[in-house]
Amino acid sequence: SDLQKQEERGELLQPLIFVLLVLCSVLLYFKVSLMDPGFVKPEEESKEGENKGQGVVIPQIPGDIKLRRCGYCMVKQPMRAKHCQLCQHCVRRYDHHCPWLENCVGERNHPLFIVYLSVQLVVLLWGGHVAWSGLYFEQSWEWLQHNIFLLVSFLLIFIFTTVVLLLLVSHLYLISCNTTTWEFMSHHRISYLRHSELENPFDQGIILNLWRFFC
């Protein structure tokens, strides 16, 4: 049959890989949106006291800056945590609240968020290539009627690809500097950054920053 011949020629491999990538992006979306992004829990305060001093020492941050209690959920906020009023929780290493995920991006799901964006970008680029390859341009109304769906699909894919690419590049840049979206946008309002000797006291070099984030 034609299907067997296509399988023998390896023509079914690419559609299969594309479907698997789409499935992977969907699973990653649900994983990132449903998982705990790093909520600070009241019972963790005692552990914070026991583990104090075991983390990475950053001498550029003034020692007189004390951890404060959140005015909303009344937990003691660790360094780099922020309260999200939409999630009603303080989030460790808070980056931002993503409206598309209906969840915060924080310490626990930020690496998976980057993986999700990467897979989504590959899917969109592949889909854009397929849509573009099916277009052949003619200056006639009949051609537009027959190809309007494919043309709209390509334009939507192009817009989404641009958005995902900009998001991925911006996040990779911030990760390479060991900063978050919240710290980058609100540097002047954050006490441990405003009173620091350096603009970014967490920066330990691109390689080490990437290593600590992903590994």
Side-chain angles (χ1 to χ4, degrees), residues 183-198:
E183 290 172 342
F184 182 78
M185 301 294 291
S186 306
H187 187 280
H188 61 287
R189 293 191 294 143
I190 303 173
S191 58
Y192 59 82
L193 294 179
R194 189 172 66 247
H195 298 111
S196 174
E197 298 173 4
L198 299 178

PDB file of all heavy atoms in Angstrom, residues 183-198:
ATOM      1  N   GLU A 183      13.342  41.306  39.438  1.00  0.00           N
ATOM      2  CA  GLU A 183      14.518  42.062  39.884  1.00  0.00           C
ATOM      3  C   GLU A 183      14.990  43.032  38.810  1.00  0.00           C
ATOM      4  O   GLU A 183      15.421  44.150  39.115  1.00  0.00           O
ATOM      5  CB  GLU A 183      15.642  41.096  40.250  1.00  0.00           C
ATOM      6  CG  GLU A 183      15.367  40.308  41.525  1.00  0.00           C
ATOM      7  CD  GLU A 183      16.396  39.225  41.772  1.00  0.00           C
ATOM      8  OE1 GLU A 183      17.112  38.852  40.817  1.00  0.00           O
ATOM      9  OE2 GLU A 183      16.491  38.732  42.909  1.00  0.00           O
ATOM     10  N   PHE A 184      14.899  42.626  37.553  1.00  0.00           N
ATOM     11  CA  PHE A 184      15.329  43.484  36.446  1.00  0.00           C
ATOM     12  C   PHE A 184      14.413  44.703  36.303  1.00  0.00           C
ATOM     13  O   PHE A 184      14.885  45.819  36.084  1.00  0.00           O
ATOM     14  CB  PHE A 184      15.344  42.675  35.147  1.00  0.00           C
ATOM     15  CG  PHE A 184      15.808  43.446  33.947  1.00  0.00           C
ATOM     16  CD1 PHE A 184      17.155  43.695  33.738  1.00  0.00           C
ATOM     17  CD2 PHE A 184      14.894  43.926  33.022  1.00  0.00           C
ATOM     18  CE1 PHE A 184      17.591  44.405  32.633  1.00  0.00           C
ATOM     19  CE2 PHE A 184      15.303  44.643  31.913  1.00  0.00           C
ATOM     20  CZ  PHE A 184      16.665  44.883  31.714  1.00  0.00           C
ATOM     21  N   MET A 185      13.105  44.484  36.449  1.00  0.00           N
ATOM     22  CA  MET A 185      12.140  45.565  36.259  1.00  0.00           C
ATOM     23  C   MET A 185      11.997  46.454  37.490  1.00  0.00           C
ATOM     24  O   MET A 185      11.648  47.631  37.377  1.00  0.00           O
ATOM     25  CB  MET A 185      10.766  44.977  35.897  1.00  0.00           C
ATOM     26  CG  MET A 185      10.753  44.138  34.637  1.00  0.00           C
ATOM     27  SD  MET A 185      11.090  45.093  33.138  1.00  0.00           S
ATOM     28  CE  MET A 185       9.609  46.088  33.038  1.00  0.00           C
ATOM     29  N   SER A 186      12.259  45.895  38.694  1.00  0.00           N
ATOM     30  CA  SER A 186      12.013  46.642  39.933  1.00  0.00           C
ATOM     31  C   SER A 186      13.274  46.788  40.768  1.00  0.00           C
ATOM     32  O   SER A 186      13.209  46.774  42.010  1.00  0.00           O
ATOM     33  CB  SER A 186      10.921  45.944  40.751  1.00  0.00           C
ATOM     34  OG  SER A 186       9.764  45.744  39.984  1.00  0.00           O
ATOM     35  N   HIS A 187      14.401  46.931  40.111  1.00  0.00           N
ATOM     36  CA  HIS A 187      15.700  47.007  40.798  1.00  0.00           C
ATOM     37  C   HIS A 187      15.727  48.106  41.853  1.00  0.00           C
ATOM     38  O   HIS A 187      16.255  47.926  42.958  1.00  0.00           O
ATOM     39  CB  HIS A 187      16.791  47.223  39.755  1.00  0.00           C
ATOM     40  CG  HIS A 187      18.182  47.146  40.310  1.00  0.00           C
ATOM     41  ND1 HIS A 187      18.785  48.196  40.977  1.00  0.00           N
ATOM     42  CD2 HIS A 187      19.083  46.134  40.306  1.00  0.00           C
ATOM     43  CE1 HIS A 187      19.997  47.842  41.340  1.00  0.00           C
ATOM     44  NE2 HIS A 187      20.207  46.600  40.956  1.00  0.00           N
ATOM     45  N   HIS A 188      15.148  49.247  41.529  1.00  0.00           N
ATOM     46  CA  HIS A 188      15.198  50.415  42.418  1.00  0.00           C
ATOM     47  C   HIS A 188      14.304  50.270  43.651  1.00  0.00           C
ATOM     48  O   HIS A 188      14.428  51.033  44.606  1.00  0.00           O
ATOM     49  CB  HIS A 188      14.774  51.668  41.642  1.00  0.00           C
ATOM     50  CG  HIS A 188      13.371  51.600  41.105  1.00  0.00           C
ATOM     51  ND1 HIS A 188      13.026  50.802  40.024  1.00  0.00           N
ATOM     52  CD2 HIS A 188      12.224  52.214  41.501  1.00  0.00           C
ATOM     53  CE1 HIS A 188      11.741  50.937  39.777  1.00  0.00           C
ATOM     54  NE2 HIS A 188      11.223  51.783  40.657  1.00  0.00           N
ATOM     55  N   ARG A 189      13.386  49.284  43.656  1.00  0.00           N
ATOM     56  CA  ARG A 189      12.455  49.114  44.775  1.00  0.00           C
ATOM     57  C   ARG A 189      12.828  47.970  45.699  1.00  0.00           C
ATOM     58  O   ARG A 189      12.207  47.788  46.737  1.00  0.00           O
ATOM     59  CB  ARG A 189      11.029  48.894  44.240  1.00  0.00           C
ATOM     60  CG  ARG A 189      10.448  50.115  43.535  1.00  0.00           C
ATOM     61  CD  ARG A 189       8.971  49.934  43.285  1.00  0.00           C
ATOM     62  NE  ARG A 189       8.704  48.856  42.339  1.00  0.00           N
ATOM     63  CZ  ARG A 189       7.678  48.026  42.419  1.00  0.00           C
ATOM     64  NH1 ARG A 189       6.845  48.121  43.431  1.00  0.00           N
ATOM     65  NH2 ARG A 189       7.486  47.105  41.517  1.00  0.00           N
ATOM     66  N   ILE A 190      13.831  47.165  45.329  1.00  0.00           N
ATOM     67  CA  ILE A 190      14.195  45.980  46.109  1.00  0.00           C
ATOM     68  C   ILE A 190      15.368  46.331  47.009  1.00  0.00           C
ATOM     69  O   ILE A 190      16.436  46.739  46.544  1.00  0.00           O
ATOM     70  CB  ILE A 190      14.550  44.808  45.179  1.00  0.00           C
ATOM     71  CG1 ILE A 190      13.369  44.507  44.239  1.00  0.00           C
ATOM     72  CG2 ILE A 190      14.918  43.581  45.984  1.00  0.00           C
ATOM     73  CD1 ILE A 190      13.669  43.487  43.176  1.00  0.00           C
ATOM     74  N   SER A 191      15.189  46.148  48.324  1.00  0.00           N
ATOM     75  CA  SER A 191      16.178  46.625  49.299  1.00  0.00           C
ATOM     76  C   SER A 191      17.542  45.967  49.116  1.00  0.00           C
ATOM     77  O   SER A 191      18.566  46.650  49.161  1.00  0.00           O
ATOM     78  CB  SER A 191      15.668  46.376  50.719  1.00  0.00           C
ATOM     79  OG  SER A 191      15.410  44.994  50.922  1.00  0.00           O
ATOM     80  N   TYR A 192      17.584  44.636  48.920  1.00  0.00           N
ATOM     81  CA  TYR A 192      18.875  43.964  48.826  1.00  0.00           C
ATOM     82  C   TYR A 192      19.622  44.276  47.536  1.00  0.00           C
ATOM     83  O   TYR A 192      20.810  44.004  47.418  1.00  0.00           O
ATOM     84  CB  TYR A 192      18.733  42.445  49.010  1.00  0.00           C
ATOM     85  CG  TYR A 192      17.827  41.749  48.006  1.00  0.00           C
ATOM     86  CD1 TYR A 192      18.289  41.388  46.741  1.00  0.00           C
ATOM     87  CD2 TYR A 192      16.526  41.409  48.343  1.00  0.00           C
ATOM     88  CE1 TYR A 192      17.474  40.737  45.840  1.00  0.00           C
ATOM     89  CE2 TYR A 192      15.709  40.759  47.447  1.00  0.00           C
ATOM     90  CZ  TYR A 192      16.184  40.417  46.189  1.00  0.00           C
ATOM     91  OH  TYR A 192      15.361  39.768  45.297  1.00  0.00           O
ATOM     92  N   LEU A 193      18.931  44.874  46.561  1.00  0.00           N
ATOM     93  CA  LEU A 193      19.601  45.329  45.336  1.00  0.00           C
ATOM     94  C   LEU A 193      19.909  46.817  45.408  1.00  0.00           C
ATOM     95  O   LEU A 193      20.962  47.274  44.963  1.00  0.00           O
ATOM     96  CB  LEU A 193      18.723  45.038  44.107  1.00  0.00           C
ATOM     97  CG  LEU A 193      18.481  43.568  43.764  1.00  0.00           C
ATOM     98  CD1 LEU A 193      17.584  43.451  42.536  1.00  0.00           C
ATOM     99  CD2 LEU A 193      19.792  42.838  43.523  1.00  0.00           C
ATOM    100  N   ARG A 194      18.987  47.578  45.983  1.00  0.00           N
ATOM    101  CA  ARG A 194      19.157  49.034  46.065  1.00  0.00           C
ATOM    102  C   ARG A 194      20.340  49.413  46.937  1.00  0.00           C
ATOM    103  O   ARG A 194      21.048  50.386  46.649  1.00  0.00           O
ATOM    104  CB  ARG A 194      17.870  49.663  46.601  1.00  0.00           C
ATOM    105  CG  ARG A 194      17.846  51.186  46.515  1.00  0.00           C
ATOM    106  CD  ARG A 194      16.493  51.742  46.879  1.00  0.00           C
ATOM    107  NE  ARG A 194      16.161  51.518  48.289  1.00  0.00           N
ATOM    108  CZ  ARG A 194      15.190  50.714  48.716  1.00  0.00           C
ATOM    109  NH1 ARG A 194      14.472  50.023  47.847  1.00  0.00           N
ATOM    110  NH2 ARG A 194      14.942  50.579  50.007  1.00  0.00           N
ATOM    111  N   HIS A 195      20.598  48.640  48.012  1.00  0.00           N
ATOM    112  CA  HIS A 195      21.683  48.960  48.926  1.00  0.00           C
ATOM    113  C   HIS A 195      22.952  48.152  48.657  1.00  0.00           C
ATOM    114  O   HIS A 195      23.894  48.203  49.441  1.00  0.00           O
ATOM    115  CB  HIS A 195      21.233  48.717  50.378  1.00  0.00           C
ATOM    116  CG  HIS A 195      20.078  49.578  50.786  1.00  0.00           C
ATOM    117  ND1 HIS A 195      18.826  49.073  51.031  1.00  0.00           N
ATOM    118  CD2 HIS A 195      19.989  50.928  50.969  1.00  0.00           C
ATOM    119  CE1 HIS A 195      18.012  50.055  51.357  1.00  0.00           C
ATOM    120  NE2 HIS A 195      18.691  51.195  51.327  1.00  0.00           N
ATOM    121  N   SER A 196      22.963  47.410  47.573  1.00  0.00           N
ATOM    122  CA  SER A 196      24.132  46.588  47.265  1.00  0.00           C
ATOM    123  C   SER A 196      25.222  47.427  46.601  1.00  0.00           C
ATOM    124  O   SER A 196      24.946  48.430  45.932  1.00  0.00           O
ATOM    125  CB  SER A 196      23.740  45.437  46.344  1.00  0.00           C
ATOM    126  OG  SER A 196      24.876  44.726  45.923  1.00  0.00           O
ATOM    127  N   GLU A 197      26.477  46.999  46.825  1.00  0.00           N
ATOM    128  CA  GLU A 197      27.609  47.698  46.197  1.00  0.00           C
ATOM    129  C   GLU A 197      27.611  47.498  44.686  1.00  0.00           C
ATOM    130  O   GLU A 197      28.066  48.372  43.943  1.00  0.00           O
ATOM    131  CB  GLU A 197      28.922  47.183  46.782  1.00  0.00           C
ATOM    132  CG  GLU A 197      29.075  47.427  48.282  1.00  0.00           C
ATOM    133  CD  GLU A 197      30.311  46.747  48.846  1.00  0.00           C
ATOM    134  OE1 GLU A 197      31.069  46.161  48.037  1.00  0.00           O
ATOM    135  OE2 GLU A 197      30.517  46.804  50.066  1.00  0.00           O
ATOM    136  N   LEU A 198      27.123  46.343  44.229  1.00  0.00           N
ATOM    137  CA  LEU A 198      27.103  46.029  42.804  1.00  0.00           C
ATOM    138  C   LEU A 198      25.685  46.121  42.264  1.00  0.00           C
ATOM    139  O   LEU A 198      24.713  45.992  43.003  1.00  0.00           O
ATOM    140  CB  LEU A 198      27.659  44.621  42.564  1.00  0.00           C
ATOM    141  CG  LEU A 198      29.103  44.362  43.003  1.00  0.00           C
ATOM    142  CD1 LEU A 198      29.480  42.920  42.733  1.00  0.00           C
ATOM    143  CD2 LEU A 198      30.064  45.312  42.282  1.00  0.00           C
TER     144      LEU A 198
END
